[in-house]
Amino acid sequence: MSKLGDYDAVRRDIVAQLKKPDYDDGSAGPVFVRLAWHSAGTYDAQSDTGGSNGAGMRYEAEGGDPANAGLQYGRAFLEPVKENHPWITYSDLWTLAGVVAIEEMGGPKVEWKPGRTDLVDDSKVPPRGRLPDAAQGADHLRLIFHRMGFNDQEIVALAGGHNLGRCHGDRSGFQGPWVNNPTRFSNQFFKLLLNLEWEPKTLENGMSQFVHEDPDLADGDDDDEEEPLMMLPTDIALRDDPAFRPWVEKYANDKDLFFDHFAKVFAKLIELGIRRDANDNILNTDNVKGGYVSAPKKSNVATGPSRARL
């Protein structure tokens, strides 16, 4: 067990959990990024509720939200880390795991600060319905992200997280990867969004998404065919909306600019709902009342909703 505050040791153990040959594309990295994202993305700036403080996904009220389907795997993958470092809070562990995963998969270094506490019960878990619905369009994106305090540029930059991972029919209802290498962080998402032909497709479950199928591959042996790439309705909205599109083009053409903007906006995301003093000490009431409260370790077995929107 590490000493209190030895975050370098925690980082090393998170890295050790990334390689998962039997999970998705062989890496837990994408689900760690999504876990960090969703743990913070419940923030409402007007009421100052939700956000990355508390790790409310430990409770059914938040963990059972259909929008969080699949994240039980990410939480379970991190339980050995929690076991090795029981002093760290889940809210710090989950956000740090997202940052580490981004860097290890070739992405930018994202600023991360510790000090979040874990809620002692579910009384302050935010209501469901605050996370994005990928079946919607530009107006919905603005409604969700402006509520958190993000502008149009930041919305597009955060969407670049779709360079990682894939959709699952048994979770979000959508199916497939966005890019050819879903475990390598890049600006490929934006390039493909602009440069490929995306055709609408209704899946057997009734969900509508967009797909690109390479005609040269489609005529080959079925056993050798690659899985078609996909885009969500919200992704296509970024391409087609006149205010979003210029940022899509900028990021497609300038990887360094995208990395810089993504690092800044992801750092902002995982600080949502956190208030700090000049020395970076957290001032949130929950932290003041209970100090740095680390919730007891949970099960290594993944449990959670089986179906949801992304």
Side-chain angles (χ1 to χ4, degrees):
M1 184 175 70
S2 63
K3 294 181 180 179
L4 176 67
D6 188 353
Y7 295 103
D8 287 337
V10 178
R11 282 176 176 266
R12 289 193 294 271
D13 279 0
I14 292 172
V15 171
Q17 290 296 322
L18 289 175
K19 188 175 181 180
K20 300 291 181 188
D22 298 326
Y23 179 77
D24 273 5
D25 299 287
S27 173
V31 76
F32 286 172
V33 175
R34 184 168 170 251
L35 176 61
W37 193 143
H38 280 221
S39 73
T42 58
Y43 185 63
D44 177 76
Q46 184 173 1
S47 62
D48 193 27
T49 57
S52 66
N53 208 45
M57 242 182 283
R58 293 175 295 117
Y59 302 104
E60 171 63 19
E62 184 174 341
D65 186 341
N68 289 325
L71 291 181
Q72 64 267 28
Y73 298 103
R75 298 195 298 271
F77 290 152
L78 289 171
E79 284 299 330
V81 183
K82 175 68 172 176
E83 186 171 10
N84 288 344
H85 313 281
W87 52 266
I88 193 171
T89 61
Y90 278 104
S91 46
D92 269 353
L93 177 59
W94 294 349
T95 52
L96 180 58
V99 166
V100 170
I102 289 167
E103 295 175 23
E104 289 295 316
M105 290 186 289
K109 181 176 180 60
V110 178
E111 183 181 20
W112 179 85
K113 301 174 183 178
R116 299 163 188 80
T117 195
D118 291 338
L119 297 175
V120 296
D121 58 41
D122 65 357
S123 62
K124 293 187 178 180
V125 170
R128 296 182 181 185
R130 290 187 175 185
L131 294 165
D133 180 353
Q136 303 297 320
D139 289 344
H140 171 77
L141 285 176
R142 289 192 173 94
L143 176 68
I144 294 294
F145 286 94
H146 288 182
R147 186 205 72 226
M148 298 183 218
F150 294 115
N151 59 33
D152 283 2
Q153 171 263 313
E154 292 171 318
I155 292 172
V156 179
L158 269 179
H162 287 172
N163 281 284
L164 301 172
R166 60 171 55 239
C167 291
H168 303 76
D170 61 349
R171 299 181 196 175
S172 66
F174 302 103
Q175 183 66 47
W178 287 272
V179 301
N180 301 100
N181 187 348
T183 62
R184 183 71 178 173
F185 198 83
S186 70
N187 64 337
Q188 192 71 5
F189 166 76
F190 297 110
K191 292 182 178 181
L192 298 180
L193 183 58
L194 291 177
N195 296 327
L196 295 185
E197 293 291 330
W198 297 101
E199 298 295 333
K201 180 179 181 179
T202 300
L203 305 180
E204 292 182 0
N205 60 13
M207 300 291 287
S208 296
Q209 62 182 50
F210 293 80
V211 298
H212 172 78
E213 298 191 29
D214 189 329
D216 294 330
L217 293 175
D219 292 336
D221 188 332
D222 288 345
D223 293 335
D224 296 329
E225 287 185 23
E226 294 185 9
E227 185 177 11
L229 300 178
M230 60 82 65
M231 289 285 167
L232 301 168
T234 46
D235 299 324
I236 299 299
L238 299 178
R239 182 196 67 182
D240 295 346
D241 183 87
F244 286 144
R245 185 181 176 100
W247 289 108
V248 174
E249 294 173 346
K250 288 178 186 292
Y251 296 148
N253 294 324
D254 192 334
K255 177 181 174 181
D256 290 340
L257 178 68
F258 166 56
F259 273 36
D260 177 60
H261 285 188
F262 182 85
K264 291 174 181 175
V265 74
F266 200 85
K268 177 178 176 179
L269 170 71
I270 58 176
E271 282 286 301
L272 291 180
I274 301 297
R275 297 186 299 279
R276 299 181 185 269
D277 64 17
N279 296 316
D280 283 335
N281 296 309
I282 291 183
L283 302 176
N284 293 60
T285 303
D286 288 314
N287 292 61
V288 174
K289 285 182 177 179
Y292 187 75
V293 178
S294 175
K297 181 184 177 303
K298 299 193 75 173
S299 171
N300 288 19
V301 178
T303 57
S306 61
R307 177 66 190 274
R309 65 179 189 275
L310 185 69

PDB file of all heavy atoms in Angstrom, residues 151-176:
ATOM      1  N   ASN A 151     -18.544  26.561 -24.075  1.00  0.00           N
ATOM      2  CA  ASN A 151     -18.972  27.270 -25.276  1.00  0.00           C
ATOM      3  C   ASN A 151     -18.867  26.343 -26.489  1.00  0.00           C
ATOM      4  O   ASN A 151     -18.479  25.169 -26.370  1.00  0.00           O
ATOM      5  CB  ASN A 151     -18.144  28.543 -25.477  1.00  0.00           C
ATOM      6  CG  ASN A 151     -16.649  28.269 -25.604  1.00  0.00           C
ATOM      7  OD1 ASN A 151     -16.226  27.237 -26.127  1.00  0.00           O
ATOM      8  ND2 ASN A 151     -15.826  29.200 -25.130  1.00  0.00           N
ATOM      9  N   ASP A 152     -19.201  26.863 -27.670  1.00  0.00           N
ATOM     10  CA  ASP A 152     -19.224  26.025 -28.873  1.00  0.00           C
ATOM     11  C   ASP A 152     -17.861  25.410 -29.184  1.00  0.00           C
ATOM     12  O   ASP A 152     -17.761  24.232 -29.550  1.00  0.00           O
ATOM     13  CB  ASP A 152     -19.709  26.838 -30.077  1.00  0.00           C
ATOM     14  CG  ASP A 152     -21.212  27.045 -30.076  1.00  0.00           C
ATOM     15  OD1 ASP A 152     -21.880  26.599 -29.122  1.00  0.00           O
ATOM     16  OD2 ASP A 152     -21.723  27.651 -31.047  1.00  0.00           O
ATOM     17  N   GLN A 153     -16.810  26.206 -29.065  1.00  0.00           N
ATOM     18  CA  GLN A 153     -15.459  25.694 -29.336  1.00  0.00           C
ATOM     19  C   GLN A 153     -15.133  24.537 -28.399  1.00  0.00           C
ATOM     20  O   GLN A 153     -14.583  23.506 -28.811  1.00  0.00           O
ATOM     21  CB  GLN A 153     -14.428  26.807 -29.186  1.00  0.00           C
ATOM     22  CG  GLN A 153     -12.972  26.344 -29.238  1.00  0.00           C
ATOM     23  CD  GLN A 153     -12.375  26.145 -27.867  1.00  0.00           C
ATOM     24  OE1 GLN A 153     -12.521  27.003 -26.985  1.00  0.00           O
ATOM     25  NE2 GLN A 153     -11.704  25.037 -27.650  1.00  0.00           N
ATOM     26  N   GLU A 154     -15.462  24.673 -27.124  1.00  0.00           N
ATOM     27  CA  GLU A 154     -15.165  23.632 -26.146  1.00  0.00           C
ATOM     28  C   GLU A 154     -15.999  22.386 -26.393  1.00  0.00           C
ATOM     29  O   GLU A 154     -15.527  21.256 -26.169  1.00  0.00           O
ATOM     30  CB  GLU A 154     -15.400  24.173 -24.743  1.00  0.00           C
ATOM     31  CG  GLU A 154     -14.403  25.256 -24.333  1.00  0.00           C
ATOM     32  CD  GLU A 154     -14.779  25.937 -23.038  1.00  0.00           C
ATOM     33  OE1 GLU A 154     -15.986  26.241 -22.844  1.00  0.00           O
ATOM     34  OE2 GLU A 154     -13.879  26.175 -22.208  1.00  0.00           O
ATOM     35  N   ILE A 155     -17.229  22.561 -26.870  1.00  0.00           N
ATOM     36  CA  ILE A 155     -18.069  21.405 -27.202  1.00  0.00           C
ATOM     37  C   ILE A 155     -17.406  20.566 -28.284  1.00  0.00           C
ATOM     38  O   ILE A 155     -17.320  19.333 -28.181  1.00  0.00           O
ATOM     39  CB  ILE A 155     -19.464  21.871 -27.666  1.00  0.00           C
ATOM     40  CG1 ILE A 155     -20.230  22.502 -26.506  1.00  0.00           C
ATOM     41  CG2 ILE A 155     -20.260  20.697 -28.245  1.00  0.00           C
ATOM     42  CD1 ILE A 155     -21.542  23.151 -26.913  1.00  0.00           C
ATOM     43  N   VAL A 156     -16.917  21.226 -29.321  1.00  0.00           N
ATOM     44  CA  VAL A 156     -16.281  20.495 -30.427  1.00  0.00           C
ATOM     45  C   VAL A 156     -14.994  19.835 -29.956  1.00  0.00           C
ATOM     46  O   VAL A 156     -14.709  18.681 -30.298  1.00  0.00           O
ATOM     47  CB  VAL A 156     -16.010  21.426 -31.621  1.00  0.00           C
ATOM     48  CG1 VAL A 156     -15.328  20.657 -32.750  1.00  0.00           C
ATOM     49  CG2 VAL A 156     -17.314  22.053 -32.124  1.00  0.00           C
ATOM     50  N   ALA A 157     -14.199  20.552 -29.163  1.00  0.00           N
ATOM     51  CA  ALA A 157     -12.949  19.975 -28.665  1.00  0.00           C
ATOM     52  C   ALA A 157     -13.211  18.726 -27.835  1.00  0.00           C
ATOM     53  O   ALA A 157     -12.534  17.696 -28.002  1.00  0.00           O
ATOM     54  CB  ALA A 157     -12.181  21.011 -27.859  1.00  0.00           C
ATOM     55  N   LEU A 158     -14.203  18.778 -26.947  1.00  0.00           N
ATOM     56  CA  LEU A 158     -14.529  17.609 -26.136  1.00  0.00           C
ATOM     57  C   LEU A 158     -15.003  16.440 -26.992  1.00  0.00           C
ATOM     58  O   LEU A 158     -14.721  15.282 -26.692  1.00  0.00           O
ATOM     59  CB  LEU A 158     -15.611  17.956 -25.119  1.00  0.00           C
ATOM     60  CG  LEU A 158     -15.161  18.437 -23.747  1.00  0.00           C
ATOM     61  CD1 LEU A 158     -16.383  18.744 -22.885  1.00  0.00           C
ATOM     62  CD2 LEU A 158     -14.272  17.404 -23.066  1.00  0.00           C
ATOM     63  N   ALA A 159     -15.714  16.738 -28.075  1.00  0.00           N
ATOM     64  CA  ALA A 159     -16.184  15.682 -28.968  1.00  0.00           C
ATOM     65  C   ALA A 159     -15.026  14.903 -29.568  1.00  0.00           C
ATOM     66  O   ALA A 159     -15.204  13.757 -29.994  1.00  0.00           O
ATOM     67  CB  ALA A 159     -17.052  16.272 -30.079  1.00  0.00           C
ATOM     68  N   GLY A 160     -13.837  15.511 -29.584  1.00  0.00           N
ATOM     69  CA  GLY A 160     -12.665  14.798 -30.080  1.00  0.00           C
ATOM     70  C   GLY A 160     -12.317  13.579 -29.264  1.00  0.00           C
ATOM     71  O   GLY A 160     -11.500  12.743 -29.682  1.00  0.00           O
ATOM     72  N   GLY A 161     -12.930  13.428 -28.102  1.00  0.00           N
ATOM     73  CA  GLY A 161     -12.770  12.201 -27.334  1.00  0.00           C
ATOM     74  C   GLY A 161     -13.276  10.988 -28.083  1.00  0.00           C
ATOM     75  O   GLY A 161     -12.940   9.841 -27.731  1.00  0.00           O
ATOM     76  N   HIS A 162     -14.078  11.212 -29.124  1.00  0.00           N
ATOM     77  CA  HIS A 162     -14.561  10.098 -29.939  1.00  0.00           C
ATOM     78  C   HIS A 162     -13.465   9.502 -30.811  1.00  0.00           C
ATOM     79  O   HIS A 162     -13.729   8.569 -31.566  1.00  0.00           O
ATOM     80  CB  HIS A 162     -15.750  10.545 -30.792  1.00  0.00           C
ATOM     81  CG  HIS A 162     -17.003  10.748 -30.008  1.00  0.00           C
ATOM     82  ND1 HIS A 162     -18.151  11.290 -30.538  1.00  0.00           N
ATOM     83  CD2 HIS A 162     -17.280  10.482 -28.703  1.00  0.00           C
ATOM     84  CE1 HIS A 162     -19.076  11.348 -29.600  1.00  0.00           C
ATOM     85  NE2 HIS A 162     -18.576  10.876 -28.476  1.00  0.00           N
ATOM     86  N   ASN A 163     -12.241  10.038 -30.713  1.00  0.00           N
ATOM     87  CA  ASN A 163     -11.103   9.346 -31.308  1.00  0.00           C
ATOM     88  C   ASN A 163     -10.824   8.038 -30.570  1.00  0.00           C
ATOM     89  O   ASN A 163     -10.059   7.208 -31.056  1.00  0.00           O
ATOM     90  CB  ASN A 163      -9.849  10.228 -31.242  1.00  0.00           C
ATOM     91  CG  ASN A 163      -9.828  11.282 -32.330  1.00  0.00           C
ATOM     92  OD1 ASN A 163      -9.561  10.987 -33.482  1.00  0.00           O
ATOM     93  ND2 ASN A 163     -10.111  12.522 -31.962  1.00  0.00           N
ATOM     94  N   LEU A 164     -11.418   7.874 -29.401  1.00  0.00           N
ATOM     95  CA  LEU A 164     -11.168   6.706 -28.566  1.00  0.00           C
ATOM     96  C   LEU A 164     -12.434   5.878 -28.409  1.00  0.00           C
ATOM     97  O   LEU A 164     -13.529   6.420 -28.272  1.00  0.00           O
ATOM     98  CB  LEU A 164     -10.686   7.143 -27.179  1.00  0.00           C
ATOM     99  CG  LEU A 164      -9.405   7.976 -27.124  1.00  0.00           C
ATOM    100  CD1 LEU A 164      -9.177   8.477 -25.711  1.00  0.00           C
ATOM    101  CD2 LEU A 164      -8.217   7.163 -27.625  1.00  0.00           C
ATOM    102  N   GLY A 165     -12.276   4.568 -28.401  1.00  0.00           N
ATOM    103  CA  GLY A 165     -13.367   3.678 -28.056  1.00  0.00           C
ATOM    104  C   GLY A 165     -14.342   3.402 -29.178  1.00  0.00           C
ATOM    105  O   GLY A 165     -14.095   3.707 -30.345  1.00  0.00           O
ATOM    106  N   ARG A 166     -15.459   2.849 -28.795  1.00  0.00           N
ATOM    107  CA  ARG A 166     -16.492   2.426 -29.740  1.00  0.00           C
ATOM    108  C   ARG A 166     -17.850   2.423 -29.050  1.00  0.00           C
ATOM    109  O   ARG A 166     -17.936   2.506 -27.825  1.00  0.00           O
ATOM    110  CB  ARG A 166     -16.185   1.025 -30.253  1.00  0.00           C
ATOM    111  CG  ARG A 166     -16.126  -0.036 -29.151  1.00  0.00           C
ATOM    112  CD  ARG A 166     -16.026  -1.464 -29.682  1.00  0.00           C
ATOM    113  NE  ARG A 166     -14.918  -1.642 -30.585  1.00  0.00           N
ATOM    114  CZ  ARG A 166     -15.056  -2.050 -31.865  1.00  0.00           C
ATOM    115  NH1 ARG A 166     -16.274  -2.280 -32.346  1.00  0.00           N
ATOM    116  NH2 ARG A 166     -14.015  -2.225 -32.631  1.00  0.00           N
ATOM    117  N   CYS A 167     -18.887   2.305 -29.864  1.00  0.00           N
ATOM    118  CA  CYS A 167     -20.242   2.153 -29.337  1.00  0.00           C
ATOM    119  C   CYS A 167     -20.623   0.681 -29.315  1.00  0.00           C
ATOM    120  O   CYS A 167     -20.150  -0.113 -30.128  1.00  0.00           O
ATOM    121  CB  CYS A 167     -21.233   2.935 -30.188  1.00  0.00           C
ATOM    122  SG  CYS A 167     -21.071   4.720 -30.056  1.00  0.00           S
ATOM    123  N   HIS A 168     -21.502   0.331 -28.387  1.00  0.00           N
ATOM    124  CA  HIS A 168     -21.939  -1.051 -28.214  1.00  0.00           C
ATOM    125  C   HIS A 168     -23.460  -1.125 -28.330  1.00  0.00           C
ATOM    126  O   HIS A 168     -24.166  -0.387 -27.637  1.00  0.00           O
ATOM    127  CB  HIS A 168     -21.521  -1.588 -26.853  1.00  0.00           C
ATOM    128  CG  HIS A 168     -20.054  -1.512 -26.589  1.00  0.00           C
ATOM    129  ND1 HIS A 168     -19.420  -0.333 -26.256  1.00  0.00           N
ATOM    130  CD2 HIS A 168     -19.089  -2.478 -26.605  1.00  0.00           C
ATOM    131  CE1 HIS A 168     -18.129  -0.577 -26.066  1.00  0.00           C
ATOM    132  NE2 HIS A 168     -17.904  -1.863 -26.273  1.00  0.00           N
ATOM    133  N   GLY A 169     -23.936  -2.037 -29.149  1.00  0.00           N
ATOM    134  CA  GLY A 169     -25.371  -2.187 -29.315  1.00  0.00           C
ATOM    135  C   GLY A 169     -26.088  -2.573 -28.053  1.00  0.00           C
ATOM    136  O   GLY A 169     -27.265  -2.235 -27.864  1.00  0.00           O
ATOM    137  N   ASP A 170     -25.396  -3.276 -27.151  1.00  0.00           N
ATOM    138  CA  ASP A 170     -26.041  -3.710 -25.912  1.00  0.00           C
ATOM    139  C   ASP A 170     -25.882  -2.681 -24.793  1.00  0.00           C
ATOM    140  O   ASP A 170     -26.263  -2.947 -23.653  1.00  0.00           O
ATOM    141  CB  ASP A 170     -25.498  -5.071 -25.470  1.00  0.00           C
ATOM    142  CG  ASP A 170     -24.001  -5.050 -25.193  1.00  0.00           C
ATOM    143  OD1 ASP A 170     -23.346  -4.048 -25.546  1.00  0.00           O
ATOM    144  OD2 ASP A 170     -23.487  -6.042 -24.634  1.00  0.00           O
ATOM    145  N   ARG A 171     -25.313  -1.520 -25.104  1.00  0.00           N
ATOM    146  CA  ARG A 171     -25.169  -0.462 -24.097  1.00  0.00           C
ATOM    147  C   ARG A 171     -25.889   0.793 -24.582  1.00  0.00           C
ATOM    148  O   ARG A 171     -26.976   1.121 -24.130  1.00  0.00           O
ATOM    149  CB  ARG A 171     -23.693  -0.181 -23.823  1.00  0.00           C
ATOM    150  CG  ARG A 171     -22.942  -1.393 -23.289  1.00  0.00           C
ATOM    151  CD  ARG A 171     -21.484  -1.053 -23.021  1.00  0.00           C
ATOM    152  NE  ARG A 171     -20.684  -2.254 -22.886  1.00  0.00           N
ATOM    153  CZ  ARG A 171     -19.363  -2.269 -22.738  1.00  0.00           C
ATOM    154  NH1 ARG A 171     -18.697  -1.124 -22.696  1.00  0.00           N
ATOM    155  NH2 ARG A 171     -18.712  -3.411 -22.624  1.00  0.00           N
ATOM    156  N   SER A 172     -25.257   1.515 -25.506  1.00  0.00           N
ATOM    157  CA  SER A 172     -25.867   2.748 -26.016  1.00  0.00           C
ATOM    158  C   SER A 172     -26.935   2.483 -27.064  1.00  0.00           C
ATOM    159  O   SER A 172     -27.769   3.330 -27.343  1.00  0.00           O
ATOM    160  CB  SER A 172     -24.791   3.655 -26.604  1.00  0.00           C
ATOM    161  OG  SER A 172     -24.226   3.062 -27.757  1.00  0.00           O
ATOM    162  N   GLY A 173     -26.877   1.295 -27.671  1.00  0.00           N
ATOM    163  CA  GLY A 173     -27.773   0.998 -28.789  1.00  0.00           C
ATOM    164  C   GLY A 173     -27.125   1.255 -30.123  1.00  0.00           C
ATOM    165  O   GLY A 173     -27.544   0.698 -31.144  1.00  0.00           O
ATOM    166  N   PHE A 174     -26.092   2.109 -30.159  1.00  0.00           N
ATOM    167  CA  PHE A 174     -25.313   2.347 -31.372  1.00  0.00           C
ATOM    168  C   PHE A 174     -24.220   1.288 -31.469  1.00  0.00           C
ATOM    169  O   PHE A 174     -23.901   0.610 -30.486  1.00  0.00           O
ATOM    170  CB  PHE A 174     -24.698   3.749 -31.345  1.00  0.00           C
ATOM    171  CG  PHE A 174     -25.720   4.848 -31.215  1.00  0.00           C
ATOM    172  CD1 PHE A 174     -25.916   5.500 -30.003  1.00  0.00           C
ATOM    173  CD2 PHE A 174     -26.499   5.225 -32.308  1.00  0.00           C
ATOM    174  CE1 PHE A 174     -26.865   6.505 -29.871  1.00  0.00           C
ATOM    175  CE2 PHE A 174     -27.447   6.229 -32.186  1.00  0.00           C
ATOM    176  CZ  PHE A 174     -27.635   6.866 -30.972  1.00  0.00           C
ATOM    177  N   GLN A 175     -23.645   1.151 -32.662  1.00  0.00           N
ATOM    178  CA  GLN A 175     -22.701   0.057 -32.855  1.00  0.00           C
ATOM    179  C   GLN A 175     -21.518   0.469 -33.718  1.00  0.00           C
ATOM    180  O   GLN A 175     -21.710   1.006 -34.808  1.00  0.00           O
ATOM    181  CB  GLN A 175     -23.397  -1.147 -33.516  1.00  0.00           C
ATOM    182  CG  GLN A 175     -22.513  -2.365 -33.695  1.00  0.00           C
ATOM    183  CD  GLN A 175     -22.100  -2.975 -32.353  1.00  0.00           C
ATOM    184  OE1 GLN A 175     -22.933  -3.177 -31.468  1.00  0.00           O
ATOM    185  NE2 GLN A 175     -20.818  -3.258 -32.194  1.00  0.00           N
ATOM    186  N   GLY A 176     -20.286   0.222 -33.208  1.00  0.00           N
ATOM    187  CA  GLY A 176     -19.095   0.376 -34.023  1.00  0.00           C
ATOM    188  C   GLY A 176     -18.129   1.431 -33.531  1.00  0.00           C
ATOM    189  O   GLY A 176     -18.450   2.236 -32.652  1.00  0.00           O
TER     190      GLY A 176
END
